[in-house]
Amino acid sequence: MNRRALGFTVSIAALGAAFAAVPAAKAADAAASGAAQASEATVQAVTITAERRSVNLQTAPVVASVISGAQLTTEGIQTVDDLQFHTPSLTITDFGQGNLFNIRGIGKDLTNIQTPSGVVTYWDGVASFPGFFQDEPYYDVSNVEVLRGPQGTFAGQNATGGAVFIVTNDPKLNSLGGDILAQYGNYNDRLLQGYWNIPLGDTVAVRFAFNGEQRHSFYHVAGPWTAPFGGAPGRLLEGSFRIGLLWTPTDALRFVLKDDYSYIDHGGSVADPVVNPANPAELNPADPFHVTNNAPNYGTDKFNRLSLNASYTLPDGIVLRSISGYQYGITNQSIDLDGTDLFPFTFSDYGQEQVYSEELNLVSPDRGPLRWVGGLYYQSDTVNLPAVGGFDIGAPPGIFDINIAYHTPKITEAAFGQVSYDFTRAWQVEVGARYTHSTFTLDDDNFVDNQPAAGLVLHARTNDDAVTGKVALNFRPDDANTLYAFVAEGHKQNGINTDPATVFGPEEVTDFEAGWKPVFFDRHVYAQLDAYYSMYRHFQLQFTQSSQTNLIQNVSGMTTIYGVEAEAQARFGALSFDAGGSYEHSRLGSDLIIDPTLGSPVQLGGRALPLAPEWTFNFGASYDIELPNGAILTPHVDYSYIAGQWATPFQRFGEYLGPRNLVNAELAYQQDKWRLALFATNAFNLRYIAAVNVGLPFELRYAGAPAQYGVRLERRF
């Protein structure tokens, strides 16, 4: 059976067996609860906080996956890249310095600073950098909530594809203790992470968390990359810490201040040509982890995020909340632009991004038939690439250099609100709306050999206004079933191309969804099934020209996306499992667009969206084996499948990313406060291409991570 048929078979099996999708978090304390409790264990209901209040996921008209902090460790989810193997309809393409985050084929299909992503990531309520600085490790995390479909009537930024809410653990009063985890694996991988929670009286607590990892490169690099070249391409050196402060001066007033800092050094993104350099008519037959190189190699991200969540509960139960954020990041990279030692082509950059944001919410009490949330939002996002060293294509470096200086301030201002009303115990209606005003200013100066390039200086500004909304209807015939249907809109702002200097329009999506959330076998199985149909207007297609600049064009006609998604989680005594799957059909609207590589028009109408696999599937299972002295041995295995997908809408030779069948496994022994685990990710060492990106003169391919295995030792205090 081929991989495509295998993906079809297992996806259909998951949909039929699980009925649906529940993104519930596993009971992290099941292993420590003893055999008697384990035999009676059921799936615990999940609440999400993405809507700025605690909402029971199983009864809300929201399509989401939730992964607990315990699952992140057990299933080997260490960064954003790993989410795609545990969440339906989600794909992530990572180039080291930036990534493309797509849900249901909507998000971003090329790295650039001119457009926002259609998928917004929040850390502790603060919208993070869009498309860059996304490789922050997951440590001391409470849960990760992945919401699919348009978002924006209850929080922060507008989003056309979805949103990811990462919630780290707050400091806790009356709880002194911590945890430390050490890991060692192949490639000389060494990791140490942990936290310590300290109460300082009845109203103040602090929490310190840290993560550090060092790993050798996956790559064998040959070629003249010694002095003046060098570096350690592909190796990992990172360190992160988080300090949290909780202050509750009264029962009604609460402040949580957090400071996150991360230093990530990946040595420089390593890639080689998609095609065989000796014969461009055939694909590159070489092992993607054996490459040649003749460039200086380095790649670092340094960023800091300061967030303040403040809330005050009025006497009538209404909550006034403020979410303030400040983020500053520096990225610096130098890579081989042709992926070989044949040509002296290099690319280097140095960029700074600074984001200020403020969100104000007014949230009603949860009691009564009428519930609501309203909010105001402001964000300032500025990217700077200086004239010297900010953006440099060397062909070869020092002899012929193309330099670009960017200054791109973006301002977003919005007002939003959402109201829910229970007509009866069974029927509920939900209505939301959002108004967004945004401005984008672009200062773009091009230089050749440090001299201004004639005609390539651009100073422009554009504005954008949009009103979007959501209407949902919920029906709960009994406590075990919820049916819902809704219509939601999303909007992504317009922007400015640099070469040629043209304005491209905003894109808009209208999404129709319906779903069923049942509970089976006396709460032993939670499930969810949803179907959606999305109409996309003015889809922003992005691609890179031969000049290495991004060009965005709006596709005329109606782009359509439809599909079904399913997840389920079950627990029967010592056995627990979760499963998820999706089927998606996408078609671009009818349009003729000039292929920047060939310089000729190409008909894109009817083609699948880039980075939109037709099928995704994931399944995980655990079994608790009782041992003497209260110890528990737990084998756990995860399987994930992502069907093949096109990297660009032009579907050129070598741009097809083949299907992926990945297996992760863990064998854990737990007793009292100790936990020892053997683990393997990509256990069968599948070689696959995770991304294709522009290069000179070849497009470049980026390999997915190979097999990693090792041991973890954890101790709670």
Side-chain angles (χ1 to χ4, degrees):
M1 181 180 293
N2 61 36
R3 290 177 177 174
R4 181 181 179 88
L6 175 61
F8 181 90
T9 302
V10 295
S11 298
I12 287 295
L15 297 179
F19 294 102
V22 147
K26 290 182 179 175
D29 59 350
S33 65
Q37 292 184 4
S39 64
E40 299 296 327
T42 60
V43 177
Q44 301 299 306
V46 174
T47 58
I48 62 172
T49 59
E51 294 193 349
R52 300 316 191 206
R53 66 163 76 245
S54 294
V55 177
N56 186 340
L57 179 60
Q58 201 64 17
T59 62
V62 175
V63 184
S65 296
V66 179
I67 303 173
S68 72
Q71 280 180 280
L72 295 177
T73 300
T74 300
E75 299 180 0
I77 305 173
Q78 295 184 324
T79 65
V80 66
D81 289 10
D82 303 316
L83 282 181
Q84 63 187 314
F85 303 114
H86 303 271
T87 304
S89 302
L90 187 153
T91 60
I92 298 167
T93 300
D94 198 331
F95 303 108
Q97 188 175 55
N99 62 48
L100 308 177
F101 204 134
N102 288 268
I103 296 177
R104 298 174 177 174
I106 300 172
K108 203 166 186 176
D109 63 284
L110 195 68
T111 53
N112 67 70
I113 61 176
Q114 295 135 283
T115 59
S117 174
V119 177
V120 180
T121 300
Y122 296 84
W123 282 83
D124 292 314
V126 174
S128 69
F129 303 101
F132 298 92
F133 306 105
Q134 296 289 317
D135 288 332
E136 183 173 356
Y138 294 163
Y139 64 99
D140 197 28
V141 169
S142 173
N143 61 64
V144 178
E145 305 170 7
V146 181
L147 277 65
R148 299 187 287 275
Q151 311 293 327
T153 60
F154 51 76
Q157 280 280 28
N158 206 337
T160 50
V164 178
F165 292 82
I166 302 165
V167 183
T168 66
N169 287 305
D170 290 343
K172 297 178 181 179
L173 299 172
N174 305 316
S175 177
L176 176 64
D179 181 278
I180 189 165
L181 182 150
Q183 172 181 302
Y184 183 79
N186 59 333
Y187 299 100
N188 199 28
D189 177 61
R190 291 156 288 171
L191 178 146
L192 185 68
Q193 65 177 223
Y195 75 86
W196 190 256
N197 190 90
I198 307 172
L200 302 175
D202 296 331
T203 62
V204 178
V206 295
R207 190 179 185 103
F208 302 93
F210 65 91
N211 180 86
E213 185 174 11
Q214 185 173 10
R215 189 203 67 225
H216 290 172
S217 177
F218 299 143
Y219 295 85
H220 299 277
V221 183
W225 59 287
T226 55
F229 308 117
R235 72 96 164 84
L236 178 67
L237 176 63
E238 68 179 19
S240 303
F241 69 84
R242 180 183 306 117
I243 301 176
L245 173 66
L246 167 67
W247 180 38
T248 57
T250 68
D251 291 340
L253 188 59
R254 174 184 171 91
F255 298 92
V256 179
L257 176 68
K258 294 181 182 179
D259 185 24
D260 290 80
Y261 176 81
S262 284
Y263 173 88
I264 300 174
D265 183 346
H266 54 75
S269 303
V270 184
D272 63 352
V274 169
V275 299
N276 185 352
N279 181 13
E282 68 175 19
L283 295 177
N284 193 340
D287 184 335
F289 292 109
H290 288 76
V291 301
T292 57
N293 191 306
N294 62 344
N297 299 274
Y298 54 83
T300 59
D301 283 344
K302 295 171 283 186
F303 51 92
N304 188 79
R305 177 177 56 255
L306 191 66
S307 65
L308 175 62
N309 279 257
S311 64
Y312 179 72
T313 304
L314 301 173
D316 59 1
I318 295 175
V319 177
L320 174 63
R321 179 181 293 113
S322 168
I323 305 173
S324 308
Y326 170 74
Q327 299 168 89
Y328 179 75
I330 298 175
T331 184
N332 193 16
Q333 177 173 249
S334 179
I335 62 172
D336 190 308
L337 194 54
D338 65 282
T340 72
D341 60 358
L342 301 176
F343 309 99
F345 292 152
T346 65
F347 172 75
S348 64
D349 64 8
Y350 176 89
Q352 303 165 317
E353 186 167 8
Q354 185 171 251
V355 182
Y356 299 91
S357 63
E358 174 61 38
E359 181 176 338
L360 295 175
N361 297 141
L362 202 60
V363 184
S364 72
D366 286 331
R367 61 181 180 270
L370 180 66
R371 297 171 300 280
W372 45 265
V373 57
L376 300 173
Y377 185 72
Y378 173 84
Q379 178 177 293
S380 171
D381 180 2
T382 302
V383 176
N384 284 296
L385 275 69
V388 178
F391 183 104
D392 188 316
I393 298 174
I399 297 177
F400 181 80
D401 290 87
I402 300 174
N403 304 95
I404 300 177
Y406 277 119
H407 178 67
T408 61
K410 303 174 187 176
I411 303 295
T412 301
E413 300 161 312
F416 54 86
Q418 187 166 288
V419 177
S420 299
Y421 183 74
D422 297 337
F423 288 105
T424 67
R425 183 182 180 280
W427 290 95
Q428 177 194 68
V429 67
E430 186 176 277
V431 178
R434 176 189 182 92
Y435 168 73
T436 305
H437 172 74
S438 57
T439 61
F440 175 38
T441 303
L442 175 65
D443 296 321
D444 175 26
D445 300 302
N446 285 239
F447 301 84
V448 176
D449 291 339
N450 296 319
Q451 299 298 316
L456 291 179
V457 176
L458 175 63
H459 304 284
R461 179 185 174 94
T462 184
N463 292 273
D464 185 59
D465 293 273
V467 176
T468 54
K470 177 180 179 180
V471 177
L473 183 65
N474 247 26
F475 176 56
R476 297 196 66 207
D478 53 49
D479 291 340
N481 291 277
T482 298
L483 295 102
Y484 65 88
F486 65 79
V487 180
E489 296 177 310
H491 180 91
K492 188 160 73 171
Q493 70 183 74
N494 60 2
I496 304 168
N497 287 308
T498 58
D499 182 18
T502 57
V503 174
F504 57 89
E507 63 179 24
E508 300 167 330
V509 62
T510 301
D511 178 48
F512 300 87
E513 299 212 21
W516 174 38
K517 298 184 178 183
V519 178
F520 299 110
F521 306 114
D522 193 25
R523 296 188 300 113
H524 285 277
V525 178
Y526 278 36
Q528 182 182 11
L529 175 67
D530 67 269
Y532 62 90
Y533 183 90
S534 299
M535 299 186 302
Y536 233 102
R537 297 174 296 279
H538 318 301
F539 191 86
Q540 293 173 356
L541 272 182
Q542 308 171 69
F543 45 86
T544 299
Q545 306 176 100
S546 57
S547 62
Q548 307 299 303
T549 58
N550 294 314
L551 180 66
I552 298 97
Q553 296 188 36
N554 296 101
V555 175
S556 64
M558 186 69 70
T559 294
T560 58
I561 310 166
Y562 61 82
V564 294
E565 297 164 333
E567 285 180 284
Q569 185 176 14
R571 186 169 183 90
F572 295 94
L575 174 66
S576 63
F577 69 85
D578 57 83
S582 68
Y583 166 77
E584 177 180 317
H585 178 90
S586 63
R587 289 294 178 266
L588 286 166
S590 179
D591 207 355
L592 281 173
I593 289 184
I594 300 298
D595 186 325
T597 301
L598 302 177
S600 58
V602 59
Q603 175 60 257
L604 299 181
R607 295 187 178 183
L609 270 67
L611 306 177
E614 191 174 26
W615 292 95
T616 67
F617 173 75
N618 61 273
F619 177 82
S622 298
Y623 189 81
D624 296 331
I625 304 171
E626 300 175 42
L627 299 176
N629 301 318
I632 294 180
L633 184 69
T634 305
H636 177 89
V637 63
D638 285 297
Y639 168 76
S640 65
Y641 171 81
I642 298 178
Q645 57 195 287
W646 287 99
T648 79
F650 297 101
Q651 301 183 1
R652 293 181 290 252
F653 181 62
E655 293 183 341
Y656 184 73
L657 305 177
R660 309 164 197 177
N661 291 277
L662 298 182
V663 175
N664 296 345
E666 183 190 74
L667 179 64
Y669 173 86
Q670 182 166 325
Q671 185 175 29
D672 296 327
K673 297 180 179 181
W674 290 91
R675 187 175 190 271
L676 178 67
L678 304 175
F679 72 90
T681 59
N682 189 6
F684 295 105
N685 200 27
L686 175 71
R687 291 289 202 262
Y688 67 96
I689 302 303
V692 171
N693 199 19
V694 66
L696 183 70
F698 311 112
E699 284 189 296
L700 302 179
R701 61 177 188 172
Y702 295 76
Q708 295 175 263
Y709 49 85
V711 59
R712 300 188 185 103
L713 179 63
E714 184 176 7
R715 173 70 159 87
R716 289 187 177 274
F717 298 93

